[in-house]
């Protein structure tokens, strides 16, 4: 077999392969003999059909099968022979049968070759600390999660719950989904379109009024997008939030006794918040470093790698949808509702990052630090009631430990890049750090 190859792009190679006809004929004759032992032809006993009869009856089809199989086999032999780091399946483009050889062309995508440049990258590394005020706010949030509601005769204000009827219309015409009865809404929750909640603030029980609200230009219902609607509001009940006392019953929810008291609750809450901050800061600097790495390096992406990543992200979203709405809800879900364009930008970034991180790992010969993996697992386990059980789980399950090793290896890459980067430090509040993390997860 003779092979030549040439680059047709940064991520594709064209192979020219020539296979001697003697190889084809040899396999053809062998397959004719095997077929003669199993084929059924009228006038002959099974297993006793002459090869020449099989050649006459089935020769053309068998010969084509042999040619197809040889093309399939030799294209991969050619890839190995040329030491091509292929991704995806090769595409056979031209096939020609000559007197002495079968000649064909194939194009195969290859793993991108890059130089990961990170000297002089600018990365912002944030820091924060949990203050007493942050702890008090978190405890208040815990109280709000278990709050009750008490009727008030006063005006509706932010953080109050209002029960009301509403009926919407546009130019005097009602529209689908524009009405509800006994609708409950906590003002300030931003559940409704902009301006709707503002129109209710200041109303009292028994009061009615009409408010004008304009639907956003990108509203999901195209027939309503950008249009101004009139909503008739009838307030039936205004309730003020009543927070539970931090008493023995409240402390019991968090596994604390009355003797341990609120100070122990604050200490536990602070510990959890500081663990959350540590993870948040780790993710922040990792995200900032990887964003800078991708922005500073040109990476040509093979179409097959992009397609695989798009499909992975699509399947991940379908899985999340199934977990959220259950199997019954998932039945009504059609993957065609998730076109490639929905994932393309994030998929391109993910593929580029994967290529660049792999290059950094290879060039710097970075191997996973087992001690850091153990420390990561111990830190994660410390938030559980029985840390030793969690540690044993990750150490005994190779797949679970491998996932942690992947996270730690990324952290090691980040540390390596930051040694050559221009790092600026910025102090942020606990609240701002959480907001940034939420925005990154949603993005």
């Amino acid at each position: 077999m003779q092979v030549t190859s040439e680059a047709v792009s940064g991520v594709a190679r064209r192979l020219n392969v020539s296979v001697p006809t003697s190889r084809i004929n040899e396999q053809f004759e062998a397959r004719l003999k095997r077929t003669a032992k199993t084929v059924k032809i009228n006038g002959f006993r099974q297993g006793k059909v002459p090869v020449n009869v099989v050649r006459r009856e089935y020769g053309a089809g068998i010969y084509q099968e042999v040619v197809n199989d040889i093309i399939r086999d030799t294209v991969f032999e050619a890839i190995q022979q040329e030491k091509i780091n292929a991704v995806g399946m090769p595409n056979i483009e031209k096939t020609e049968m000559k007197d002495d050889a079968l000649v064909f062309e194939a194009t195969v995508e290859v793993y991108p070759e890059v130089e990961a440049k990170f000297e002089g990258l600018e990365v912002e590394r944030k820091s924060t600390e949990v203050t007493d005020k942050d702890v008090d706010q978190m405890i208040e949030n815990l109280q709000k999660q278990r709050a009750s509601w008490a009727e008030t005769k006063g005006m509706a204000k932010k953080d109050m719950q209002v029960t009301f009827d509403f009926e919407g219309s546009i130019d005097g015409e009602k529209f689908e989904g524009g009405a509800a009865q006994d609708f409950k809404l906590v003002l300030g929750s931003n559940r409704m379109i902009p301006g709707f909640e503002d129109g209710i603030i200041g109303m009292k029980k028994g009061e009615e009024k009409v408010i004008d609200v304009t639907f956003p230009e990108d509203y999901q219902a195209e027939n309503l997008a950008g249009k101004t609607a009139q909503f008739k509001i009838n307030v039936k009940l205004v309730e003020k939030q009543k927070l539970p006392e931090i008493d023995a019953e409240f402390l019991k929810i968090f596994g604390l006794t009355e003797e341990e008291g609120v100070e122990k609750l604050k200490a536990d809450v602070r510990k959890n918040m500081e663990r959350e901050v540590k993870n948040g800061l780790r993710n922040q600097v990792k995200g900032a470093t990887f964003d800078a790495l991708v922005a500073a390096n040109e990476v040509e992406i093979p179409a097959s790698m992009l397609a695989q990543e798009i499909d992975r992200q699509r399947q991940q979203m379908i899985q999340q949808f199934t977990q959220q709405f259950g199997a019954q809800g998932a039945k009504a879900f059609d993957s065609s509702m998730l076109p490639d364009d929905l994932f393309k930008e994030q998929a391109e970034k993910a593929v580029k990052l994967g290529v660049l991180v792999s290059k950094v790992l290879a060039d710097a010969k970075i191997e996973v630090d087992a001690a850091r993996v153990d420390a990561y697992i111990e830190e994660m386990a410390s938030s559980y009631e029985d840390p030793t059980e969690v540690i044993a789980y990750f150490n005994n399950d190779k797949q679970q430990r491998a996932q942690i090793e992947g996270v730690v290896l990324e952290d090691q890459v980040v540390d390596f890049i930051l040694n050559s980067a221009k790092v600026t430090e910025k102090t942020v509040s606990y609240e701002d750090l959480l907001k940034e993390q939420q925005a990154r997860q949603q993005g």
Side-chain angles (χ1 to χ4, degrees):
M1 181 179 72
Q2 295 181 340
V3 182
T4 60
S5 64
E6 59 179 328
V8 292
S9 75
V11 292
R13 300 289 183 275
R14 179 179 291 116
L15 295 166
N16 293 281
V17 183
S18 177
V19 183
T21 53
S22 58
R23 179 171 175 175
I24 299 172
N25 293 334
E26 180 180 342
Q27 292 193 23
F28 174 58
E29 294 298 330
R31 192 167 300 188
L32 282 176
K33 292 177 181 178
R34 290 199 304 271
T35 303
K37 295 178 180 180
T38 59
V39 73
K40 294 181 180 180
I41 296 179
N42 291 335
F44 298 94
R45 286 189 300 164
Q46 186 172 352
K48 299 296 182 177
V49 180
V51 172
N52 286 339
V53 175
V54 176
R55 190 191 310 273
R56 184 182 67 241
E57 296 292 330
Y58 301 104
I62 292 174
Y63 192 83
Q64 188 58 53
E65 288 177 4
V66 170
V67 169
N68 291 341
D69 289 347
I70 284 181
I71 290 174
R72 180 199 62 202
D73 295 340
T74 55
V75 71
F76 289 107
E77 291 175 19
I79 289 171
Q80 291 181 330
Q81 181 176 314
E82 294 298 299
K83 296 181 173 59
I84 293 174
N85 189 5
V87 295
M89 296 297 293
N91 181 36
I92 309 301
E93 295 176 340
K94 294 180 182 179
T95 304
E96 183 180 359
M97 183 62 73
K98 297 183 178 181
D99 292 338
D100 59 345
L102 165 66
V103 178
F104 67 88
E105 289 184 3
T107 300
V108 60
E109 289 189 312
V110 299
Y111 196 83
E113 294 183 4
V114 296
E115 289 185 23
K117 302 174 184 177
F118 48 82
E119 291 79 4
L121 288 185
E122 295 186 3
V123 178
E124 184 178 75
R125 178 165 53 198
K126 296 181 180 179
S127 61
T128 190
E129 64 177 68
V130 178
T131 66
D132 291 342
K133 183 179 178 181
D134 294 327
V135 174
D136 290 340
Q137 181 62 56
M138 182 60 70
I139 291 177
E140 184 178 331
N141 290 342
L142 295 175
Q143 289 176 279
K144 287 181 177 180
Q145 291 172 8
R146 295 157 179 83
S148 57
W149 298 98
E151 182 177 356
T152 177
K153 301 296 183 182
M155 295 185 299
K157 299 178 182 178
K158 186 180 179 182
D159 296 328
M160 289 185 178
Q161 180 171 267
V162 182
T163 303
F164 59 99
D165 298 339
F166 67 88
E167 184 177 80
S169 61
I170 296 178
D171 297 330
E173 296 290 333
K174 299 177 184 179
F175 54 88
E176 185 177 357
Q181 292 185 329
D182 295 325
F183 189 83
K184 292 183 181 296
L185 176 67
V186 177
L187 299 180
S189 62
N190 298 319
R191 286 175 55 196
M192 311 299 281
I193 59 177
F196 193 99
E197 294 180 25
D198 293 337
I200 298 176
I201 290 177
M203 294 183 69
K204 296 181 179 180
K205 177 181 178 180
E207 186 176 350
E208 292 186 7
K209 76 173 182 179
V210 176
I211 61 174
D212 290 336
V213 181
T214 301
F215 285 91
E217 293 291 343
D218 59 352
Y219 193 67
Q220 59 267 30
E222 295 182 2
N223 61 315
L224 301 177
K227 294 184 178 180
T228 298
Q230 293 72 45
F231 285 93
K232 181 181 178 182
I233 307 293
N234 176 17
V235 174
K236 293 183 173 181
L237 182 65
V238 178
E239 296 173 294
K240 188 176 182 180
Q241 197 173 53
K242 184 179 179 181
L243 300 181
E245 296 291 334
I246 303 179
D247 53 17
E249 184 177 350
F250 186 82
L251 292 170
K252 187 177 179 181
I253 297 173
F254 303 96
L256 301 174
T257 65
E258 189 173 7
E259 290 73 23
E260 290 174 311
V262 68
E263 292 306 315
K264 182 63 166 65
L265 176 63
K266 286 184 177 181
D268 289 350
V269 167
R270 180 183 290 274
K271 184 178 180 180
N272 288 333
M273 293 174 71
E274 288 174 344
R275 184 185 299 110
E276 189 177 33
V277 163
K278 186 175 182 179
N279 290 332
L281 292 175
R282 179 194 288 129
N283 291 332
Q284 179 275 320
V285 74
K286 180 185 292 188
T289 302
F290 285 165
D291 286 348
L293 181 65
V294 171
N297 290 273
E298 290 292 333
V299 181
E300 189 176 358
I301 302 176
S304 56
M305 290 181 69
L306 179 60
Q308 290 172 8
E309 178 60 21
I310 287 174
D311 188 60
R312 187 194 68 80
Q313 292 189 15
R314 180 186 289 112
Q315 294 305 318
Q316 185 179 49
M317 182 173 286
I318 292 173
Q319 185 178 19
Q320 291 171 349
F321 182 91
T322 303
Q323 291 174 346
Q324 183 175 357
F325 297 101
Q328 293 299 321
K331 287 181 180 180
F333 188 81
D334 185 353
S335 60
S336 64
M337 298 164 58
L338 303 174
D340 288 359
D341 287 347
L342 184 65
F343 305 96
K344 187 176 180 181
E345 183 177 350
Q346 285 300 317
E348 286 180 346
K349 181 178 177 182
V351 173
K352 289 179 181 179
L353 180 60
V355 170
L356 291 167
V357 169
S358 295
K359 181 63 173 176
V360 174
L361 286 169
D363 289 350
K365 296 180 173 59
I366 300 173
E367 296 183 354
V368 67
D369 186 334
R372 286 183 67 163
V373 174
D374 291 337
Y376 190 99
I377 292 173
E378 289 175 7
E379 179 185 341
M380 184 172 58
S382 65
S383 63
Y384 290 83
E385 185 175 347
D386 186 355
T388 57
E389 184 178 339
V390 177
I391 293 172
Y393 168 74
F394 279 97
N395 286 336
N396 294 329
D397 190 313
K398 292 183 179 180
Q399 184 175 357
Q400 292 297 327
R401 185 175 175 87
Q403 290 182 1
I404 302 299
E405 289 175 348
V407 173
V408 170
L409 200 56
E410 284 187 348
D411 289 341
Q412 291 178 239
V413 171
V414 170
D415 292 344
F416 181 81
I417 293 174
L418 290 179
N419 286 332
S420 302
K422 179 182 178 182
V423 181
T424 57
E425 305 287 347
K426 181 180 180 181
T427 301
V428 298
S429 68
Y430 171 79
E431 183 180 3
D432 287 342
L433 177 66
L434 290 189
K435 286 180 179 178
E436 179 181 330
Q437 287 300 111
Q438 291 171 356
R440 179 175 287 274
Q441 290 172 359
Q442 293 171 358

